[in-house]
Amino acid sequence: RRIEAALSGAPRRGRIRGDLWAQRLSALAGVQQEEFRRDRNAHAELLLQCLEDGRWVEPFDRSPPEGPLPMLPKHVMNSLRRRR
């Protein structure tokens, strides 16, 4: 819901890219494996951060890839934890 609210206030270009990523992440909502669910949630948190800051960082600086999402690097996960 926070992502949807941030999308509504985002500029058009960011809203389009953010919406693609939000759709992709919501498609993974039913994942049962804890590690994948944690990574999906980290992707969502980073997407929200990008939308709020108006600054697109990897992997959100382009459209979501086809196939499985790559795991976020450990340094990105650590920076998300520090920001909380």
Side-chain angles (χ1 to χ4, degrees):
R1 292 185 179 157
R2 290 175 52 202
I3 289 175
E4 290 171 4
L7 279 171
S8 66
R12 186 177 193 285
R13 185 173 183 210
R15 193 170 52 241
I16 292 169
R17 182 182 301 145
D19 191 46
L20 287 172
W21 274 100
Q23 289 175 19
R24 183 65 191 280
L25 293 172
S26 68
L28 299 172
V31 172
Q32 297 298 316
Q33 296 91 346
E34 181 66 28
E35 183 178 356
F36 291 120
R37 190 170 47 234
R38 260 195 316 264
D39 191 63
R40 176 203 169 267
N41 292 344
H43 271 84
E45 190 174 337
L46 185 58
L47 175 60
L48 179 62
Q49 201 175 86
C50 290
L51 287 165
E52 289 175 343
D53 296 346
R55 192 172 55 93
W56 296 91
V57 297
E58 196 174 349
F60 300 108
D61 56 348
R62 55 190 163 286
S63 295
E66 294 295 322
L69 288 179
M71 301 288 275
L72 286 176
K74 290 203 182 293
H75 71 277
V76 173
M77 297 289 274
N78 290 335
S79 71
L80 285 173
R81 283 189 199 111
R82 275 182 279 181
R83 189 165 179 180
R84 288 182 193 160

